[in-house]
Amino acid sequence: YSFRGISIPPGVQTYHVNFIENTADNIVADLSQDFTNTLRQKIRQESPLLETDIDPHAEFKGTITEYRVSAEAPNTQIEVAFNRVTMNVTMEYFNNLSPDEEPKKKNFSVQREFDANTNLLDVQDGLIEEMNLQ
């Protein structure tokens, strides 16, 4: 089996997702909880693994390292054309059945754009949901 680029080793039948901390400068309420829940649900739906808190075979740990909103313009002659939300996450995967194996670590970066005339608070929840799913 494969879970988005991570091959599931033979014998691995259970998993646990630790709470994903948010260390970004811009703190958004519930971002960590939403990301953690989305990841748990995604693994549950897209893999044969069973979720457990006790001695999991596979374990996921991570940190939201950046959540940033920036104004973007295609060139210096034009006003801001759109705004961009960027979220960076660092994830680690541990195979607890092979404790001598190095954890697999990967950084993910996701961006979403929205109209410059739109208030961020009006679209933020939807953008976060889209980024979490990706």
Side-chain angles (χ1 to χ4, degrees):
Y1 291 96
S2 178
F3 178 71
R4 300 282 181 184
I6 297 176
S7 295
I8 300 173
V12 173
Q13 298 175 353
T14 61
Y15 76 96
H16 177 71
V17 175
N18 291 285
F19 183 74
I20 308 301
E21 292 187 50
N22 185 354
T23 62
D25 291 337
N26 293 328
I27 300 296
V28 176
D30 298 329
L31 180 60
S32 290
Q33 187 66 49
D34 290 346
F35 187 87
T36 302
N37 290 339
T38 301
L39 180 57
R40 285 179 178 145
Q41 181 178 3
K42 192 165 188 64
I43 295 170
R44 196 170 31 249
Q45 291 175 346
E46 295 183 13
S47 80
L49 301 178
L50 301 173
E51 188 171 8
T52 184
D53 291 339
I54 302 168
D55 297 325
H57 298 158
E59 194 169 352
F60 296 87
K61 297 180 180 180
T63 305
I64 299 168
T65 58
E66 181 178 29
Y67 181 86
R68 175 175 41 94
V69 179
S70 57
E72 304 292 329
N75 62 51
T76 58
Q77 304 300 319
I78 299 176
E79 293 182 23
V80 173
F82 60 90
N83 291 316
R84 176 177 291 147
V85 177
T86 303
M87 184 168 75
N88 293 326
V89 180
T90 299
M91 292 298 303
E92 289 183 282
Y93 162 79
F94 298 83
N95 179 351
N96 293 332
L97 295 178
S98 300
D100 294 335
E101 183 180 315
E102 288 289 319
K104 293 174 177 48
K105 186 174 185 177
K106 187 167 183 178
N107 296 317
F108 298 91
S109 182
V110 182
Q111 299 176 341
R112 288 291 181 269
E113 286 88 26
F114 63 98
D115 187 88
N117 297 318
T118 302
N119 184 326
L120 173 63
L121 296 178
D122 292 339
V123 295
Q124 182 167 254
D125 289 345
L127 295 171
I128 289 173
E129 184 176 333
E130 288 176 20
M131 292 187 295
N132 284 346
L133 286 173
Q134 190 172 358

